[in-house]
Amino acid sequence: MPARYDLPLTYSHLIRLERNTMMIITAILTSLMTPLLVVSAFNTSPPQSSSSVAKRVKSVNYFISRECNYKCKFCFHTQKNTNKLGIGNAKLGLQLLQHSGTEKINFAGGEPFLNPQVLGELCQFAHSECGMAVSIISNGSLIKSEWMDRYGQYVDILGVSVDSFDPATNALIGRGTGDTTKNQHVSRVLKVRELCAQHGILFKMNTVVCSLNHHEDMNEYVTTLDPYRWKAFQCLILQGENAGGVNDLNDARELQVTREEFDAFIQRHSDQSALIPEPNTVMQNSYLLLDEELRFLDCSENGKIPSQSILEVGVERALSQAGFDDDMFQKRGGIFEWTRDRAGSNDSSILK
């Protein structure tokens, strides 16, 4: 009996075979090429995308949601909505950024750990599929060991907001419960630091210097925590967010400090090698910010004006509406060693 492929085929057989084969090939090519086609559709000017745009989008901050479980009085990215993209569109946004030259993505909020599954999947996708360094900024209240066990391997830097080591001051600021006897923010920070040590993740601190904490001496705690980087920001006022206007959810004007008060705080902690001071003049326009709709935020006019979404017009066109100061980004040390050593030990507790 002849082999199956030796059986005679009629013309109708051949037509059906060709038609089925082409359908299979088309389906495979579509699944492989769709992301590339979407990306290329937004980039009609390859020379700019490969040079000036890539230089400006090396590090991007993505606020995945404005949702937050704290009520910090000086917050300038307030919970004006609970919008967030579906995981598919968020991943497409990361691909667009990767194609344009982004090397590091920082996930922030709001509080990003209010959406732990989405955050975890985005960290995994950014690291494994886009080859980006991954960092997170959190208030530290919702970080669980189970999340770290599953997704910690994809995170390079985990930053926690630490404005005070005094429970009463944290309560006044709005970090955690307003009851000073039950404010657990400091103990949560210590727990997160320990989790970072266990998983080999670089630990970072962010401090907003305001009228409630500018007099504080944090040296003892900072030495114990031993952060990789410690950012100290001068309390910033942005119209539409925390300036006390009709549409503002916060009024942080009474929390402002003078440049002299800010500098005194910096001087008091000048022996901390990880300290990076950022007064308003440095901070305001030197961060490339993407909101929950993947729109760049222009803060150059003391407010937040969103660009068109990168999902609609691509990175290059949206970037032109961002008001981003790349020179200041470079001057403030925006480019640094942002990838952790994954070959080293992942169990080096510092809190003996």
Side-chain angles (χ1 to χ4, degrees):
M1 181 177 179
R4 182 181 179 92
Y5 52 77
D6 287 332
L7 289 174
L9 296 174
T10 66
Y11 179 75
S12 61
H13 287 153
L14 288 172
I15 292 297
R16 284 198 297 271
L17 178 60
E18 181 181 11
R19 204 175 276 160
N20 291 338
T21 302
M22 288 305 297
M23 288 174 63
I24 294 172
I25 293 174
T26 300
I28 293 173
L29 288 176
T30 299
S31 65
L32 292 174
M33 296 300 294
T34 295
L36 297 178
L37 292 172
V38 171
V39 169
S40 61
F42 290 132
N43 290 278
T44 56
S45 305
Q48 177 147 358
S49 293
S50 63
S51 56
S52 62
V53 172
K55 177 176 178 287
R56 300 182 70 201
V57 298
K58 284 185 179 295
S59 176
V60 176
N61 301 273
Y62 174 21
F63 302 121
I64 61 176
S65 170
R66 285 178 174 262
E67 296 172 299
C68 193
N69 60 325
Y70 277 8
K71 297 185 182 299
C72 302
K73 295 176 182 176
F74 47 59
C75 178
F76 57 74
H77 197 69
T78 54
Q79 189 170 319
K80 291 192 160 189
N81 61 62
T82 57
N83 299 341
K84 49 186 173 288
L85 291 176
I87 191 68
N89 279 334
K91 287 181 178 180
L92 177 56
L94 292 179
Q95 286 180 312
L96 292 171
L97 291 170
Q98 175 205 11
H99 181 76
S100 297
T102 300
E103 299 176 9
K104 170 181 169 283
I105 189 74
N106 179 54
F107 296 112
E111 172 48 49
F113 281 93
L114 279 171
N115 298 284
Q117 181 69 27
V118 170
L119 177 63
E121 288 191 37
L122 291 179
C123 289
Q124 181 176 356
F125 186 80
H127 169 79
S128 301
E129 302 298 327
C130 299
M132 296 178 183
V134 175
S135 69
I136 304 171
I137 296 297
S138 167
N139 61 35
S141 65
L142 299 173
I143 300 175
K144 308 296 184 184
S145 58
E146 295 81 7
W147 190 96
M148 295 287 274
D149 290 341
R150 181 173 180 180
Y151 296 111
Q153 61 187 304
Y154 308 114
V155 180
D156 293 280
I157 302 171
L158 179 52
V160 177
S161 299
V162 186
D163 303 308
S164 177
F165 292 96
D166 176 38
T169 302
N170 279 321
L172 287 172
I173 288 173
R175 292 236 181 255
T177 176
D179 186 341
T180 59
T181 63
K182 297 180 180 179
N183 190 287
Q184 301 296 314
H185 187 66
V186 174
S187 62
R188 289 167 177 163
V189 170
L190 295 171
K191 178 183 177 182
V192 173
R193 178 63 182 98
E194 184 71 3
L195 285 171
C196 285
Q198 292 171 9
H199 290 270
I201 297 172
L202 299 171
F203 177 76
K204 177 187 175 186
M205 282 174 50
N206 279 1
T207 299
V208 177
V209 181
C210 67
S211 62
L212 297 174
N213 67 357
H214 71 90
H215 58 278
E216 191 170 336
D217 186 339
M218 302 182 180
N219 280 295
E220 183 178 352
Y221 274 101
V222 175
T223 298
T224 299
L225 288 168
D226 188 27
Y228 176 61
R229 287 164 72 83
W230 177 24
K231 290 285 192 77
F233 304 108
Q234 183 181 6
C235 181
L236 179 66
I237 304 297
L238 290 178
Q239 302 295 326
E241 297 283 357
N242 64 352
V246 175
N247 297 317
D248 295 25
L249 297 185
N250 283 347
D251 187 350
R253 289 174 294 181
E254 291 186 358
L255 298 178
Q256 288 180 284
V257 292
T258 65
R259 180 59 186 268
E260 290 74 21
E261 290 170 328
F262 176 77
D263 289 344
F265 178 92
I266 299 303
Q267 181 58 39
R268 191 178 310 121
H269 300 92
S270 58
D271 288 339
Q272 299 293 336
S273 60
L275 179 61
I276 303 169
E278 294 193 8
N280 291 166
T281 53
V282 171
M283 176 189 178
Q284 183 166 334
N285 303 313
S286 65
Y287 285 83
L288 197 52
L289 310 175
L290 276 176
D291 73 0
E292 63 278 5
E293 305 289 344
L294 289 175
R295 302 175 299 183
F296 288 117
L297 296 174
D298 182 354
C299 302
S300 61
E301 300 297 326
N302 298 315
K304 281 184 176 176
I305 301 174
S307 71
Q308 294 171 281
S309 173
I310 66 173
L311 295 179
E312 297 172 354
V313 300
V315 173
E316 181 179 341
R317 183 171 172 184
L319 183 62
S320 68
Q321 306 164 16
F324 174 58
D325 188 342
D326 180 60
D327 290 338
M328 186 59 75
F329 168 76
Q330 301 285 340
K331 289 177 182 177
R332 70 167 172 81
I335 296 178
F336 58 95
E337 183 52 62
W338 48 45
T339 303
R340 68 172 180 163
D341 179 10
R342 285 179 166 76
S345 170
N346 287 338
D347 188 13
S348 54
S349 175
I350 63 150
L351 304 178
K352 307 296 186 183

